[in-house]
Amino acid sequence: KENVRHNINKYGLNEYINKHFRSKPERDLYRFLKTLGISVINNDKSILNGKELDLYIPSHKLAIEFNGNYWHSFEKLGDKKYHQNKTIDCAKQGIQLIHIFEYEWNDLVKQEKIKNYIKRLITRNNQNRVFARNTEIKQISSTVADEFCNKYHLQGKATTSINYGCYLDDELLGVMTFGTPRFNNNYDYEVVRLCWKDDVLVVGGTEKMFSTFIKECNPNSIITYCDTSKFTGNVYTKLGFKPIQPNPITE
């Protein structure tokens, strides 16, 4: 059985073998991944001791689950922590698990953002690199920040009071926004949005925007959140954020 699975993956036959057992959106996602020139394993059960991962990219330690609205609903699963626990189990194996929900994929604007995010992860080493020392950090208006976030952030814009942009000459490459904490008023500020253009990697850019905010606003405390269905939160731990104890994972 394992030899058959190995040869199916080796010769790129997954699309043909599994096409009748996967939904059309999942097949479309698989085809998109193949355009990135990577090896993709379908329906892997070796990582989580028999639990299935829809798509696994060994070269990048990246897994992707496509979650249909019906089959992955709480009513069907009976466990509202099902996806969260699967993400944690993958993280323990050093694997980032991205969940894509059917209602997200059906939104063509969000689908394109998700594709660009995955492409960014896969092609990270081949992206146009800019070093933060060559950029300028400026405060920007909410209008400029909102327009940028609507274009590049998976969740779009959000209400904020202080916004910073990272510029190379006159080109806006990234945005970091701050505001009054939305869910926990024990902190001075919340990092509300952080996003970058799809085709550029600004080395040290996040650190430069954050340190500029610290210098100019002198906050005593800052909180932020990470959507672990898509991201790892590592960008924030690199900035010095610490998980809230005893349970850093919210419902």
Side-chain angles (χ1 to χ4, degrees), residues 1-247:
K1 182 179 178 181
E2 289 304 315
N3 287 335
V4 172
R5 185 189 298 273
H6 171 77
N7 286 324
I8 288 172
N9 289 317
K10 179 180 178 181
Y11 295 106
L13 300 176
N14 289 283
E15 182 176 349
Y16 307 99
I17 300 297
N18 294 309
K19 67 180 181 179
H20 298 298
F21 303 98
R22 292 182 288 147
S23 66
K24 183 181 182 301
E26 190 177 336
R27 297 199 303 271
D28 290 342
L29 174 60
Y30 173 81
R31 293 190 187 103
F32 163 71
L33 292 174
K34 294 300 291 183
T35 67
L36 302 178
I38 53 175
S39 175
V40 183
I41 298 175
N42 281 287
N43 311 118
D44 184 275
K45 293 185 178 180
S46 65
I47 304 297
L48 301 181
N49 297 319
K51 293 181 182 178
E52 188 172 276
L53 292 173
D54 292 338
L55 300 162
Y56 178 51
I57 305 165
S59 58
H60 290 73
K61 302 285 279 185
L62 182 67
I64 302 175
E65 286 275 277
F66 190 90
N67 301 324
N69 292 338
Y70 173 72
W71 292 106
H72 286 262
S73 65
F74 171 67
E75 289 78 7
K76 191 66 179 175
L77 293 173
D79 179 6
K80 65 181 180 180
K81 289 190 175 182
Y82 173 84
H83 301 102
Q84 187 182 92
N85 289 335
K86 208 166 188 180
T87 301
I88 293 171
D89 289 342
C90 278
K92 290 177 180 179
Q93 302 292 329
I95 295 169
Q96 179 181 353
L97 175 58
I98 294 175
H99 292 273
I100 300 175
F101 295 89
E102 184 179 356
Y103 62 85
E104 295 177 315
W105 193 258
N106 289 341
D107 181 332
L108 296 183
V109 173
K110 183 161 284 190
Q111 180 188 133
E112 192 64 23
K113 288 182 180 181
I114 291 171
K115 286 180 176 178
N116 287 335
Y117 170 56
I118 294 172
K119 183 177 180 181
R120 185 179 179 90
L121 291 177
I122 299 298
T123 63
R124 183 177 179 85
N125 293 330
N126 298 320
Q127 287 174 331
N128 296 320
R129 286 178 177 257
V130 173
F131 291 94
R133 62 176 178 269
N134 298 322
T135 66
E136 182 181 2
I137 307 301
K138 305 176 187 177
Q139 279 209 41
I140 58 177
S141 68
S142 294
T143 300
V144 172
D146 288 350
E147 182 180 352
F148 192 90
C149 288
N150 279 338
K151 187 172 184 179
Y152 295 110
H153 196 282
L154 287 181
Q155 296 174 332
K157 69 178 183 179
T159 301
T160 55
S161 56
I162 301 173
N163 311 291
Y164 285 90
C166 180
Y167 284 85
L168 181 64
D169 299 325
D170 294 325
E171 183 182 6
L172 181 59
L173 303 180
V175 161
M176 194 173 201
T177 71
F178 303 82
T180 302
R182 297 168 294 174
F183 313 110
N184 189 331
N185 57 15
N186 293 323
Y187 295 81
D188 289 351
Y189 289 97
E190 177 185 337
V191 180
V192 181
R193 291 288 186 264
L194 171 64
C195 57
W196 296 93
K197 286 190 68 175
D198 294 324
D199 59 350
V200 66
L201 176 64
V202 182
V203 181
T206 300
E207 291 87 343
K208 190 170 183 178
M209 282 196 288
F210 188 66
S211 62
T212 301
F213 167 74
I214 296 292
K215 181 179 178 180
E216 294 184 356
C217 298
N218 193 31
N220 290 314
S221 57
I222 310 172
I223 191 171
T224 193
Y225 300 86
C226 170
D227 177 5
T228 53
S229 75
K230 302 290 189 298
F231 307 97
T232 64
N234 290 341
V235 64
Y236 294 115
T237 57
K238 289 179 181 177
L239 293 177
F241 283 85
K242 304 293 184 184
I244 294 176
Q245 299 301 333
N247 184 10

